[in-house]
Amino acid sequence: MRAFTYQRASSAAEAAAAVARAPGAKFIAGGTNLLDLMKLEIETPVHLVDVNGLGLDKIEGTPDGGLRIGALARNTDLASDMRVRRDYAVLSRALLAGASAQLRNKATTAGNLLQRTRCPYFYDTNQACNKRRPGSGCSAVGGFSRQHAIIGASAACIATFPSDMAVAMRLLDASVETVRPDGSTRVIPIADFHHLPGNTPHIENALVAGELITAVTLPRPLGGTHLYRKVRDRTSYAFALVSVAAVIQPDGRGRVALGGVAHKPWRVEAAEAALPQGAAAVSARLLAGAAPTHENEFKITLAKRTLAAVLAEAKKG
Ligand SMILES: Cc1cc2nc3c(=O)[nH]c(=O)nc-3n(C[C@H](O)[C@H](O)[C@H](O)COP(=O)(O)OP(=O)(O)OC[C@H]3O[C@@H](n4cnc5c(N)ncnc54)[C@H](O)[C@@H]3O)c2cc1C
Ligand code: SF4
């Protein structure tokens, strides 16, 4: 690990300004992703700004009947919050499908949204990787690509985004609240938060340098049946090959989103219009344009079957 300086911030605005001031500085929250990347020298921040003391860990109701989740709320606390379990159960289920209990105790809401891909070539500094070093090439294209994206990828990067939580948040139309280094705030719809790789796979989200996530808000509850099914190589403690988040209403209408298949949580609102026609019709629209490699074309079948299983389960109520 390279040497770095460290400070504890005492306000959100101070934290944002401190990261913007020092080129290569980073926020640290739970540290469960960032510290691993620093040990491998994939991330080499010269300065760390600790945001754990900012009181951003509250989960509270909003005036319009939704929920505001502090950026530092731990994954364990969010998954076990009674309002989340009752009104946003898909989020609770997605969180509990992720990582391990120990990791969830440390991992935060913002850190989870900003975790980096688990592409093995990204983690190997001997390999070319456009995400790690822009312009160096992509070892996964033509390489071992079993875990990689089947949709929304580019010639520059075929990585997937590994978060379970974010798939549920995308389904629920969450918004990301931030403060920028000049003290101004903004709200980013989660649909616009994560980027597809295109020619700039190193630019993974809509944040500017020094922009601090302060909270994630959820709109009013949707009702319906909430399901999250994650398919992985081991029963637990593994990232998704494919996951399906769904909120299905008694009349068969609803929402679906996929994880493990793209560089961002994959939701196609137009596909949801086909829900009354059944899983095959939804899958056809959701996965239109999919371009798997020969090693991961199984994900298409897996996504279709997992979606069908989730919709069948939803029918039981
Ligand atoms: C072995 C292992 C298994 C895992 N399995 C899963 C899994 O199955 N599913 C899953 O979804 N996740 C999984 N994870 C990932 C885990 O959920 C993330 O590491 C965790 O959510 C990151 O949160 P953190 O608070 O520790 O982030 P950190 O590591 O502290 O930070 C991550 C990034 O976010 C930035 N950041 C943190 N807070 C803010 C903020 N408020 N504003 C702006 N930037 C910020 C940091 O600068 C850093 O770039 C696993 C992790 C490990 C180590
Ligand atoms: S898929 Fe993306 S993260 Fe993986 S090696 Fe290629 S550029 Fe890097």
Side-chain angles (χ1 to χ4, degrees), residues 25-37 43 48 51 56 71-72 74-75 94-95 97-100 103-104 106-116 118 162-166 207 211-214 230 232 237-240:
K26 297 227 68 150
F27 303 111
I28 184 159
T32 60
N33 192 208
L34 182 57
L35 285 178
D36 279 353
L37 293 168
E43 301 245 28
L48 287 186
V51 292
L56 296 175
L72 272 284
R74 306 286 156 179
N75 288 177
L95 282 159
S100 65
L103 283 159
R104 293 194 296 269
K106 286 299 285 178
T108 62
T109 302
N112 192 298
L113 284 180
L114 294 170
Q115 65 176 291
R116 307 206 64 193
R118 293 284 161 170
S163 168
D164 292 294
M165 182 196 82
L207 298 180
E211 189 165 7
L212 176 78
I213 299 178
T214 48
K230 177 175 176 179
R232 46 190 152 177
Y237 201 42
F239 290 93

Side-chain angles (χ1 to χ4, degrees), residues 117-123 127-133 136-141 148-149 154-160 197 201 204 263:
T117 183
R118 293 284 161 170
C119 169
Y121 300 104
F122 173 74
Y123 273 79
Q127 303 286 339
C129 170
N130 287 323
K131 189 182 281 297
R132 187 166 23 75
R133 193 183 310 158
S136 64
C138 172
S139 303
V141 171
H148 289 75
S154 70
C157 179
I158 58 171
T160 55
E204 296 175 328
H263 203 255

